Amino acid sequence: MSKECDVDKIKTELLGREKPRFPVEIGEMYEGERIRRPEMLVEFGSITVEKKWELVQTRSMDEVEDGKVTLMGPDLPELEQGGAYPLGILVEVAGAKVEKDLEGVLERRIHYFLNYIEGVMHLNQRYDIWIRVSKKSYGKGLNSLIWIGKALVWLYKSSFPVIEKIQVTLYTDKAAVEALYPKAMEVWAARDKRARELKDEDVQEFYACVMCQSFAPTHMCVITPNRIASCGSISWFDARAASKVDPKGPNFPIVKGACIDPLKGIYEGVNKAAKEKSLGSIKGVSLYSMFDNPHTSCGCFEGIAFYIPELDGIGIVHRDFKGPTVNGLSFSSMAEHTSGGTQNPGFNGVAIEYLRSPKFLQAEGGWERVVWIPSAIKQRIFDGIPEKMRDLVATENEAKTVNELKEFLKNRNHPVVSRWKEKAAEAVTEEVKEVSAEAPVVEVMPAGVELPAMGGFKIILKNARITAEKIIIKRAEKK
């Protein structure tokens, strides 16, 4: 990757073999530290910054100057307090045993390592990063991004002995960040394409990731050939490589065991691991269902699959979508119902790459149940959407409300419309011929039934389902 930038804005330091004397503490005790806006000096990335990224690339030994840390662009003292800025982080590693398969694994460790730094908060991955630096740590001497580069060098080399040489470049120059962004996207696309060639049925083991348990203690991400990690940055190949190079790390194998339900993706081995790693909180996981014991989510997911009850359909939204979705809720509002390591039927944290999977929410009908998706994501994964569904799924350009979406779906004859007809047929009221205590009555009120007005209120029951053990009918006495 080219590193062209204004030479007047370049800072470079070389790190020796000894641990640097950092101005703040570094360790696992700071994992999970949250930096709220009033405590924040500045932030990098987040939804307000269009281009941001972090990338790890393997190099030959002669391409890396060991311990070199370079900053291209303005440093912390030059940035306005409280502002949000672009950032690119490029980590280049070399070593006789450093394989290309390790790139995704090492890249995800940026999340781990930056959260080790006192007063630094890191969320998400790849092109979705969000980093905050606290005023308190800045006051202690964390007054340059060079320190963050030094921390990465030290933590990588102390955690991965296979890394013989490493150099880190941080870009805060907006033009440089934007210029290198397409290259980073190409690298990730190539990684994801390779992972698509393998299927769940081809392997005996899945892999787990518990990297985010400091944020979501009961969460365990299950990574299969057909289900990339929810953060979108760890494929089955990545997790396998990680478990081999760091057997005591956050990635480990899960023996699949018996397949209990192939449609929902329920496996004996996965259930056992989920129960163990959640200390009994999660007893079963459906890998490919968002309703029946859905997969848990931490908070680093790229997108959310959300149920739209008015249409019996599924919507998708990604982290960078601005404003309310078709159901009136924003990404951040729905993220509160999705994250935290709990199972939330109807809300499922997903990776964008997972939308290409042949097993994507297959228990709910997959793409035939999807009714709305942001145009940016639709364009990005267009070739992964079944051809017959490409023109049937609306974006914010065709529908901004549920009512608009309903009309769109009817006009396009989306498969979900047939589900409405089936439900309407089920809701037709049938004549009750016999009522008894032994046979409880379940009666569906037809749409629009009104109860007599009482006390100034009118009650309208629409498609209400009422259960009763006994019905008593009395003739009204004339007064």
Side-chain angles (χ1 to χ4, degrees):
M1 296 179 75
S2 170
K3 300 175 187 169
E4 294 182 6
C5 188
D6 185 346
V7 293
D8 294 330
K9 295 181 179 178
I10 297 177
K11 293 183 181 180
T12 301
E13 289 198 24
L14 289 174
L15 198 62
R17 294 262 176 202
E18 296 182 3
K19 180 180 178 180
R21 294 177 63 86
F22 291 106
V24 294
E25 293 187 61
I26 295 180
E28 293 183 6
M29 61 279 205
Y30 293 105
E31 255 197 299
E33 178 185 13
R34 288 293 195 227
I35 299 173
R36 306 300 177 189
R37 181 162 290 278
E39 305 161 344
M40 177 189 87
L41 178 75
V42 293
E43 66 182 1
F44 298 95
S46 81
I47 195 171
T48 60
V49 177
E50 187 177 356
K51 296 290 191 297
K52 61 274 185 182
W53 48 267
E54 58 190 22
L55 183 70
V56 169
Q57 293 271 264
T58 54
R59 304 293 190 202
S60 61
M61 291 287 284
D62 59 355
E63 290 180 295
V64 179
E65 187 174 352
D66 191 32
K68 182 180 180 182
V69 178
T70 303
L71 171 64
M72 294 188 171
D75 206 349
L76 292 178
E78 304 165 68
L79 303 176
E80 184 179 346
Q81 184 171 310
Y85 300 93
L87 178 68
I89 302 175
L90 176 62
V91 178
E92 296 166 287
V93 296
K97 295 183 179 179
V98 175
E99 301 175 356
K100 197 164 184 65
D101 277 355
L102 280 176
E103 287 182 347
V105 177
L106 297 175
E107 193 171 284
R108 191 67 181 115
R109 290 302 177 95
I110 296 176
H111 172 70
Y112 233 18
F113 293 155
L114 292 193
N115 279 314
Y116 283 2
I117 306 172
E118 179 188 2
V120 175
M121 181 187 82
H122 180 286
L123 296 173
N124 311 327
Q125 62 291 313
R126 287 190 175 182
Y127 52 82
D128 264 343
I129 60 172
W130 181 12
I131 300 170
R132 282 182 171 178
V133 178
S134 74
K135 297 174 187 175
K136 184 177 180 181
S137 286
Y138 181 82
K140 285 185 175 183
L142 189 70
N143 53 13
S144 173
L145 292 172
I146 291 289
W147 283 116
I148 288 178
K150 287 181 176 181
L152 286 174
V153 169
W154 171 254
L155 289 167
Y156 270 115
K157 296 201 77 171
S158 59
S159 301
F160 295 94
V162 295
I163 296 177
E164 297 177 45
K165 299 174 76 175
I166 179 173
Q167 64 186 30
V168 176
T169 308
L170 300 106
Y171 300 85
T172 56
D173 179 80
K174 186 173 185 288
V177 173
E178 293 180 351
L180 295 173
Y181 181 84
K183 173 60 178 176
M185 293 294 285
E186 288 177 14
V187 172
W188 297 322
R191 283 187 207 160
D192 294 340
K193 183 178 179 181
R194 178 181 177 234
R196 286 179 217 138
E197 297 172 358
L198 201 63
K199 303 290 182 282
D200 287 0
E201 292 75 17
D202 299 333
V203 302
Q204 294 302 312
E205 291 180 329
F206 294 154
Y207 287 88
C209 180
V210 292
M211 191 178 296
C212 295
Q213 281 202 339
S214 59
F215 298 95
T218 58
H219 173 64
M220 179 189 79
C221 206
V222 182
I223 303 166
T224 84
N226 289 131
R227 191 187 186 285
I228 191 170
S230 299
C231 65
S233 62
I234 303 179
S235 70
W236 185 88
F237 287 109
D238 295 332
R240 182 180 66 172
S243 69
K244 289 180 179 179
V245 76
D246 187 10
K248 295 182 179 180
N251 300 113
F252 55 89
I254 300 174
V255 178
K256 288 163 59 175
C259 180
I260 299 170
D261 189 324
L263 184 65
K264 294 178 180 178
I266 303 176
Y267 291 86
E268 192 175 67
V270 171
N271 286 349
K272 181 180 178 182
K275 185 175 181 179
E276 178 183 326
K277 292 300 178 181
S278 68
L279 300 180
S281 296
I282 308 298
K283 296 178 173 57
V285 174
S286 299
L287 298 178
Y288 304 116
S289 172
M290 65 184 292
F291 294 119
D292 183 12
N293 291 327
H295 193 289
T296 59
S297 302
C298 52
C300 296
F301 41 81
E302 289 185 287
I304 299 172
F306 58 94
Y307 180 57
I308 306 173
E310 299 94 329
L311 303 175
D312 198 21
I314 294 169
I316 308 290
V317 64
H318 65 304
R319 190 176 293 276
D320 285 340
F321 186 79
K322 295 177 175 63
T325 64
V326 72
N327 67 357
L329 299 174
S330 65
F331 176 92
S332 58
S333 296
M334 286 189 278
E336 295 178 8
H337 300 285
T338 310
S339 58
T342 57
Q343 292 177 306
N344 302 293
F347 293 96
N348 201 205
V350 297
I352 302 304
E353 177 63 20
Y354 173 50
L355 305 183
R356 296 177 179 272
S357 171
K359 295 182 184 290
F360 165 63
L361 296 182
Q362 65 179 9
E364 279 71 62
W367 273 101
E368 292 197 1
R369 198 77 175 274
V370 177
V371 294
W372 190 90
I373 187 171
S375 56
I377 298 302
K378 187 175 183 179
Q379 181 179 0
R380 180 174 153 191
I381 61 155
F382 191 76
D383 61 339
I385 302 173
E387 189 172 352
K388 68 176 183 178
M389 294 301 300
R390 291 173 183 172
D391 294 331
L392 307 185
V393 179
T395 71
E396 73 278 15
N397 298 324
E398 290 84 35
K400 290 182 169 56
T401 67
V402 169
N403 287 337
E404 290 178 359
L405 180 54
K406 186 173 185 178
E407 289 304 310
F408 174 91
L409 299 174
K410 286 196 298 186
N411 292 337
R412 300 293 176 99
N413 196 27
H414 189 290
V416 80
V417 175
S418 63
R419 297 177 64 88
W420 305 345
K421 295 174 181 177
E422 291 170 7
K423 284 182 174 292
E426 292 172 4
V428 173
T429 304
E430 296 180 356
E431 183 181 356
V432 180
K433 296 183 179 179
E434 184 176 349
V435 178
S436 69
E438 290 75 20
V441 175
V442 177
E443 184 64 17
V444 178
M445 303 292 291
V449 169
E450 296 187 13
L451 296 184
M454 294 178 291
F457 292 94
K458 179 187 289 185
I459 301 175
I460 302 176
L461 301 179
K462 293 185 176 181
N463 294 327
R465 190 177 294 274
I466 299 173
T467 301
E469 292 186 353
K470 183 183 292 185
I471 295 177
I472 300 174
I473 302 174
K474 290 184 178 182
R475 185 182 300 275
E477 298 290 338
K478 291 184 179 181
K479 295 184 179 179

